[in-house]
Amino acid sequence: MTYNINDKGYYGEFGGAYIPEMLYPNVEELRQNYLKIMAEPSFKEEFDQLLKDYVGRPSPLYLAKRLSEKYNTKIYLKREDLNHTGAHKINNTIGQILMAQRLGKKRIIAETGAGQHGVATATVCALMGLECIVYMGEIDIARQAPNVARMKMLGATVVPALSGSRTLKDATNEAIRDWINNPVNTHYIIGSVVGPHPYPDMVARFQAVVSEEMQWQLQEKEGKTTPDYVIACVGGGSNAAGAFYHYLENTDVKLIAVEAAGKGVNSGESAATSALGKEGVIHGSKTLLMQTGDGQITEPYSISAGLDYPGIGPMHAHLYKTGRAEFISITDDQAMNAGLELSKLEGIIPAIESSHALAVFEQKKFKPEDVVVLSLSGRGDKDLQNYIDYFNL
Ligand SMILES: *Cc1c(COP(=O)(O)O)cnc(C)c1O
């Protein structure tokens, strides 16, 4: 049993590239080149340099003393919230912009829902001086005004998706249409471990820097490279993939994936894909997704915009199906309270996505001698209005 991808682009039965024929040349060009390019010394050097000097890596592995005391176990926070632009997403967009350059692309497209991936993409396009077009549902543009303003300041063109529900899936359709029409000069930056092969694997490899650092940081602090548990929230699954990556095949390390239950798994307003999802195809890969009896994708809901996604990446579908990772779903209320608790106990205001992972400590007991590493995927600045409204601050 392996938990990593096989040479056909599958994690167990999940993954693959289920794409329209007109997209085949683009995806195939990437598939044939991504591993070769990532292995080039000059690529590795430039990637590492930018992660260090531009993103601010390595991100600290912080022993949260007061949080550990409260839950009577040893909790380390992997501080992706301290990265430039405030989350882990930049690790991937740095990798993909370098990939696009090596492939000779001059134009970058992306789709975004909450705007976080759009901002991370616009950031690296500004850094490299490449044209950037971000597709975003008209409804999301209205809901996420600060991120739209950031993208514009960074020089990106934000194109509203006006069809369908005017949210993320419609923006994705527009981006795919653009890529079909511009197969030669354009690279499509996908923001999580989703999409057709090789995207899930490529994004996981770029995010793998997170667990690579965890290994030597734990060696320094605990005298061993492995923790007992790694906990991470899952929207599409990229911060979790990065935090799990170097531990996937070591089953002594227990993996916990945290999904958004919204108003409750059975409330009809949820994004708990593993609990509610069935096998199907979304964004070009076979995975678990929330769908109606006749296969229409169900509109997901979470208070956290970054977890509000109807599927999970194929790696996580496989981790769920095989039982390699334990999946826990956390409601809006549980997450919001965990976010407030971390703020008061540690002086760290987390992104609401990360607050879902933090809420696990109220749901599950750990032993005092356990070493638990939690991926603090992002900071809460972007969520301030949500916290204000929820707690009447
Ligand atoms: C986008 C985002 C997520 C969810 O995306 P994954 O691909 O599942 O990691 C989680 N946390 C933060 C802070 C985000 O911005």
Side-chain angles (χ1 to χ4, degrees):
M1 172 79 72
T2 175
Y3 300 101
N4 223 309
I5 199 157
N6 66 23
D7 54 10
K8 300 266 187 308
Y10 282 83
Y11 299 89
E13 64 197 271
F14 301 107
Y18 298 79
I19 49 173
E21 197 179 329
M22 289 169 77
L23 263 189
Y24 183 78
N26 312 39
V27 173
E28 184 60 13
E29 181 189 28
L30 192 60
R31 190 188 69 78
Q32 285 184 6
N33 289 292
Y34 82 111
L35 290 175
K36 206 164 52 193
I37 290 174
M38 284 180 78
E40 286 168 7
S42 71
F43 182 94
K44 244 198 103 25
E45 197 176 307
E46 198 177 352
F47 184 56
D48 291 348
Q49 192 76 43
L50 284 169
L51 288 184
K52 178 165 178 276
D53 295 336
Y54 189 73
V55 176
R57 305 203 70 91
S59 68
L61 185 70
Y62 166 68
L63 174 60
K65 283 219 184 71
R66 276 165 41 83
L67 191 69
S68 298
E69 227 161 79
K70 159 117 203 231
Y71 291 105
N72 195 25
T73 190
K74 198 164 195 183
I75 303 170
Y76 285 97
L77 303 177
K78 183 58 173 156
R79 300 289 309 275
E80 296 302 298
D81 61 314
L82 294 176
N83 292 343
H84 178 47
T85 68
H88 65 291
K89 286 194 172 73
I90 191 85
N91 304 327
N92 168 49
T93 55
I94 292 270
Q96 285 201 50
I97 200 89
L98 296 177
M99 182 67 60
Q101 285 181 321
R102 300 297 192 283
L103 292 169
K105 309 294 180 183
K106 300 281 180 261
R107 188 173 169 273
I108 299 295
I109 58 170
E111 94 280 338
T112 194
Q116 295 300 112
H117 173 58
V119 170
T121 300
T123 299
V124 296
C125 288
L127 175 69
M128 296 302 178
L130 291 187
E131 184 185 1
C132 181
I133 294 113
V134 179
Y135 292 95
M136 192 169 182
E138 194 183 31
I139 302 261
D140 290 332
I141 288 180
R143 285 195 291 213
Q144 309 287 345
N147 276 339
V148 175
R150 284 185 186 105
M151 285 183 259
K152 288 183 177 165
M153 278 192 77
L154 293 161
T157 306
V158 181
V159 180
L162 305 170
S163 64
S165 58
R166 292 173 290 153
T167 58
L168 180 62
K169 75 174 163 46
D170 313 292
T172 304
N173 290 339
E174 295 296 329
I176 288 172
R177 202 164 298 147
D178 181 313
W179 209 24
I180 289 173
N181 290 328
N182 298 283
V184 178
N185 70 343
T186 298
H187 176 69
Y188 179 16
I189 298 191
I190 292 183
S192 189
V193 284
V194 300
H197 178 64
Y199 278 99
D201 184 47
M202 180 173 67
V203 176
R205 286 169 187 264
F206 289 141
Q207 293 291 357
V209 64
V210 173
S211 48
E212 192 184 305
E213 289 172 4
M214 275 158 49
Q215 289 179 306
W216 62 258
Q217 289 171 321
L218 283 168
Q219 180 67 45
E220 272 180 21
K221 290 170 199 295
E222 293 290 329
K224 54 174 191 173
T225 57
T226 55
D228 297 293
Y229 289 90
V230 182
I231 306 177
C233 65
V234 173
S238 68
N239 88 89
F244 295 170
Y245 195 85
H246 289 283
Y247 301 119
L248 282 172
E249 311 294 344
N250 181 350
T251 51
D252 291 344
V253 180
K254 294 171 215 95
L255 309 176
I256 299 179
V258 185
E259 292 184 321
K263 296 186 174 160
V265 171
N266 297 312
S267 67
E269 292 184 77
S270 157
T273 306
S274 67
L276 299 170
K278 296 198 177 57
E279 287 170 27
V281 171
I282 183 172
H283 295 171
S285 77
K286 189 172 158 209
T287 187
L288 291 172
L289 61 133
M290 299 182 352
Q291 51 189 310
T292 60
D294 51 2
Q296 290 299 309
I297 292 168
T298 313
E299 199 66 39
Y301 164 80
S302 164
I303 193 168
S304 149
L307 301 184
D308 191 355
Y309 181 73
I312 46 175
M315 176 198 282
H316 298 293
H318 184 54
L319 295 178
Y320 175 75
K321 190 81 184 257
T322 56
R324 173 69 185 92
E326 177 182 2
F327 280 66
I328 295 180
S329 27
I330 293 296
T331 64
D332 289 357
D333 293 335
Q334 290 166 338
M336 295 305 276
N337 286 309
L340 186 63
E341 178 179 79
L342 187 75
S343 307
K344 292 198 190 299
L345 282 179
E346 297 287 348
I348 299 170
I349 301 176
I352 298 177
E353 291 86 355
S354 320
S355 297
H356 283 74
L358 290 160
V360 162
F361 294 113
E362 284 288 340
Q363 304 304 309
K364 183 180 171 77
K365 269 234 152 317
F366 296 90
K367 296 196 207 91
E369 65 273 19
D370 282 337
V371 172
V372 183
V373 176
L374 183 141
S375 169
L376 200 73
S377 54
R379 57 179 174 246
D381 305 34
K382 69 182 176 64
D383 296 319
L384 205 56
Q385 194 58 52
N386 262 327
Y387 282 123
I388 290 169
D389 294 344
Y390 188 87
F391 291 112
N392 268 316
L393 302 172

